């Protein structure tokens, strides 16, 4: 069974440019999460989808970040325009539909470097 | 303000000895506590969890202890193996309310020396 896949694995862009990160969750997982880790710091929650609906987007830093989950399958996270402080590793995670114990399956992450 | 704290950025132990990783939290509403392990260039992988109604959970070489009165939990690895070398993240989760987000600590880098 395929795990959570993320693309690209690494993106280097200049300040002011746009980047779109993609996440394909495990098939059948209704819950999809985006997290971010800035170097040396904690992994921070960005938002949570249940199927195609945003359940919680309280962690989104500002309106330069836009997340979508078309048809309740894959998700994209767009940063436009990118700033230096957006650099970090963006993790996607998914889980089954029923409210559980917090166990999430993470992808390998997309490293974003903004120059 | 950090709700989950891992005050030791790194820990080094000898193969075969015990590794103890510590975690403190401030939010008494957390229902579950989890440990994730992360290797370089990989995503975090779930290791073990404990419900707030328990004080111990064991899975093979891994045991998690929870002290609710002290808002403290620890992960014990016995015996430690070189393959256990990774960054360990403590995380907490509240099943109440509408949000199901995990709150993570900063991680502790464990090095197990052969």
């Amino acid at each position: 069974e395929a795990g959570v896949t993320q693309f690209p694995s690494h993106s280097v862009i200049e300040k002011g440019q746009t980047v779109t990160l993609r996440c394909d969750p495990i098939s059948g997982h209704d819950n999809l999460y985006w997290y971010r880790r800035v170097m040396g710091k904690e992994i921070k929650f960005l938002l949570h989808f249940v199927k195609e609906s945003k359940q919680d987007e309280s962690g989104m830093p500002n309106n330069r970040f836009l997340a979508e989950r078309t048809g309740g399958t894959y998700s994209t996270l767009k940063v436009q325009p990118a700033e230096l402080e957006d650099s970090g590793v963006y993790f996607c995670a998914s889980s089954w539909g029923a409210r559980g114990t917090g166990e999430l399956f993470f992808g390998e992450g997309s490293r974003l470097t903004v120059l | 303000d950090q709700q989950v704290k891992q005050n030791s950025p790194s820990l080094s132990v000898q193969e075969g000895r015990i590794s103890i990783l510590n975690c403190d939290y401030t939010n008494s509403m957390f229902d579950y506590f989890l440990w994730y392990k992360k290797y370089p260039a990989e995503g975090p992988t779930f290791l073990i969890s404990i419900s707030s109604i328990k004080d111990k959970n064991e899975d093979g070489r891994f045991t998690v202890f929870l002290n609710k009165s002290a808002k403290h939990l620890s992960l014990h690895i016995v015996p430690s193996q070189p393959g256990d070398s990774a960054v360990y993240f403590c995380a907490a989760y509240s099943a109440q309310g509408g949000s199901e987000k995990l709150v993570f600590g900063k991680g502790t880098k464990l090095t197990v020396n052969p």
Side-chain angles (χ1 to χ4, degrees):
Chain A
E1 178 183 323
V4 177
T5 57
Q6 293 187 244
F7 182 83
S9 57
H10 192 186
S11 181
V12 181
I13 62 173
E14 293 191 350
K15 175 182 172 180
Q17 290 186 318
T18 298
V19 63
T20 300
L21 311 177
R22 172 171 170 143
C23 169
D24 287 82
I26 293 173
S27 178
H29 281 191
D30 288 338
N31 293 300
L32 187 149
Y33 304 82
W34 284 97
Y35 286 83
R36 176 174 73 175
R37 187 183 189 210
V38 173
M39 185 181 291
K41 301 209 170 180
E42 67 270 28
I43 300 170
K44 276 197 170 182
F45 168 84
L46 296 178
L47 89 159
H48 170 207
F49 283 100
V50 178
K51 297 185 180 178
E52 67 275 6
S53 299
K54 291 177 184 174
Q55 180 75 15
D56 181 356
E57 52 184 330
S58 62
M60 294 288 263
N62 50 60
N63 58 11
R64 295 186 293 104
F65 289 74
L66 176 64
E68 295 180 326
R69 190 180 183 191
T70 307
T73 55
Y74 71 92
S75 174
T76 58
L77 179 64
K78 180 190 286 188
V79 185
Q80 179 183 32
E83 298 288 345
L84 298 178
E85 65 264 25
D86 300 333
S87 295
V89 181
Y90 291 77
F91 291 104
C92 176
S94 68
S95 69
W96 299 106
R99 185 182 291 273
T101 60
E103 180 183 344
L104 305 181
F105 296 85
F106 281 83
E108 295 187 344
S110 291
R111 179 176 295 277
L112 173 64
T113 302
V114 183
L115 303 177
Chain B
D1 184 31
Q2 269 196 287
Q3 297 184 64
V4 176
K5 298 178 183 179
Q6 293 177 259
N7 292 320
S8 297
S10 63
L11 174 67
S12 183
V13 300
Q14 284 298 120
E15 181 179 5
R17 305 295 291 269
I18 184 171
S19 294
I20 300 176
L21 296 97
N22 294 303
C23 177
D24 297 290
Y25 63 95
T26 57
N27 189 343
S28 58
M29 299 296 288
F30 288 137
D31 300 289
Y32 292 96
F33 303 90
L34 305 90
W35 286 93
Y36 279 80
K37 181 167 78 171
K38 184 185 178 305
Y39 293 117
E42 294 186 9
T45 55
F46 171 76
L47 188 59
I48 191 170
S49 66
I50 187 167
S51 164
S52 60
I53 62 173
K54 295 186 176 181
D55 55 18
K56 178 182 175 181
N57 187 26
E58 192 171 353
D59 183 3
R61 296 184 297 112
F62 303 91
T63 303
V64 57
F65 296 91
L66 175 63
N67 182 335
K68 283 188 68 177
S69 60
K71 292 190 174 66
H72 176 84
L73 64 155
S74 61
L75 174 68
H76 292 211
I77 306 174
V78 181
S80 301
Q81 300 174 352
D84 296 330
S85 297
V87 178
Y88 289 78
F89 290 94
C90 173
Y93 163 68
S94 173
Q96 302 172 32
S99 179
E100 300 185 6
K101 61 189 178 189
L102 289 178
V103 180
F104 285 88
K106 290 185 178 182
T108 296
K109 183 178 182 180
L110 173 66
T111 302
V112 181
N113 301 301

